[in-house]
Amino acid sequence: MSVGLLLSGAAAAALLTSALPAQASSPVFTDPPPDKIVITVATVNGSGCPQGTTAVAVSEDNTAFTVTYSNYLAQAGGNSDPTAFRKNCQLNLVVHVPQGFTYAIASADYRGFAALESGASATQRASYYFQGSPATAYRSHPFSGPLNDNWEATDSTDWAQLVWAPCGVQRNFNINTEIRVNAGTSSPGKVSFMTMDSTDGDISTIYHMAWKDCAAS
């Protein structure tokens, strides 16, 4: 699958600038570049993102991009397929940024819906890495039944631990996500499920970007 999106944006205040420690040795953070950013989905693989069910868009101010899923559901219990308890998706993104800038993913917001019977549980996990670099450890968010509601989870990275794309080198960015459902001690005939989609509209996952001027690094 190959999807390309191109949006232009105006310069805006840098994402979370107020959280930057006032230290002389701190990296220099700058406003998001005013020029165009292009994000291309190089590959999409996984049981949670069949071909044609995933899209990417960039915010107008260049501080975030959104990944939208429309068929990302895991379930367990009842007559569920034994392999349906776990769904995953790996996105390989080509991020073209204006010359002289680099970026890091400062935080990621995930949303979906969960219907978990009493005794059942679910987990949402994600990891991130640039091509040629080791994957970060999975960050996990557990949920327990009974639950019948929308859910939200956020992965945040301290400024000192941000991993920046190499300046002047094109490295694809990888996002691995996963949802799991465990029937646990729930009634054998009851189905529990968790989604990163919705019956009345797509659920979007938002990745917030931090920017740095390569010349000031």
Side-chain angles (χ1 to χ4, degrees), residues 73-142:
L73 180 148
Q75 67 179 53
N79 61 353
S80 300
D81 188 298
T83 64
F85 78 98
R86 175 186 178 272
K87 293 297 176 71
N88 76 295
C89 183
Q90 176 167 317
L91 294 173
N92 183 273
L93 305 177
V94 182
V95 183
H96 299 278
V97 300
Q99 186 174 2
F101 287 88
T102 185
Y103 73 96
I105 303 301
S107 65
D109 301 323
Y110 296 91
R111 297 179 180 87
F113 184 84
L116 304 177
E117 296 291 326
S118 179
S121 61
T123 303
Q124 182 271 328
R125 305 200 311 166
S127 69
Y128 320 89
Y129 63 98
F130 289 102
Q131 181 182 10
S133 302
T136 60
Y138 270 99
R139 300 182 184 184
S140 299
H141 301 276

Side-chain angles (χ1 to χ4, degrees), residues 66-204:
T66 300
V67 180
T68 302
Y69 305 96
S70 60
N71 190 21
Y72 203 156
L73 180 148
Q75 67 179 53
N79 61 353
S80 300
D81 188 298
T83 64
F85 78 98
R86 175 186 178 272
K87 293 297 176 71
N88 76 295
C89 183
Q90 176 167 317
L91 294 173
N92 183 273
L93 305 177
V94 182
V95 183
H96 299 278
V97 300
Q99 186 174 2
F101 287 88
T102 185
Y103 73 96
I105 303 301
S107 65
D109 301 323
Y110 296 91
R111 297 179 180 87
F113 184 84
L116 304 177
E117 296 291 326
S118 179
S121 61
T123 303
Q124 182 271 328
R125 305 200 311 166
S127 69
Y128 320 89
Y129 63 98
F130 289 102
Q131 181 182 10
S133 302
T136 60
Y138 270 99
R139 300 182 184 184
S140 299
H141 301 276
F143 300 86
S144 298
L147 176 65
N148 188 32
D149 203 352
N150 296 318
W151 61 267
E152 295 185 5
T154 297
D155 294 341
S156 297
T157 302
D158 294 336
W159 287 103
Q161 296 177 332
L162 287 176
V163 178
W164 297 93
C167 284
V169 179
Q170 181 65 59
R171 295 285 177 84
N172 290 9
F173 184 63
N174 294 278
I175 303 169
N176 295 322
T177 59
E178 176 185 312
I179 53 177
R180 290 175 179 253
V181 176
N182 186 342
T185 59
S186 62
S187 173
K190 300 289 186 178
V191 175
S192 293
F193 68 88
M194 183 179 194
T195 76
M196 271 204 279
D197 70 356
S198 174
T199 56
D200 58 358
D202 295 335
I203 293 295
S204 298

Side-chain angles (χ1 to χ4, degrees), residues 8-22:
S8 62
L15 177 66
L16 301 179
T17 298
S18 60
L20 177 63

Side-chain angles (χ1 to χ4, degrees), residues 17-66:
T17 298
S18 60
L20 177 63
Q23 299 177 12
S25 60
S26 297
V28 176
F29 294 90
T30 187
D31 289 347
D35 297 328
K36 296 174 182 177
I37 294 174
V38 182
I39 294 183
T40 302
V41 181
T43 58
V44 148
N45 292 300
S47 54
C49 50
Q51 184 172 358
T53 66
T54 305
V56 180
V58 183
S59 67
E60 291 187 0
D61 64 1
N62 294 348
T63 62
F65 64 91
T66 300

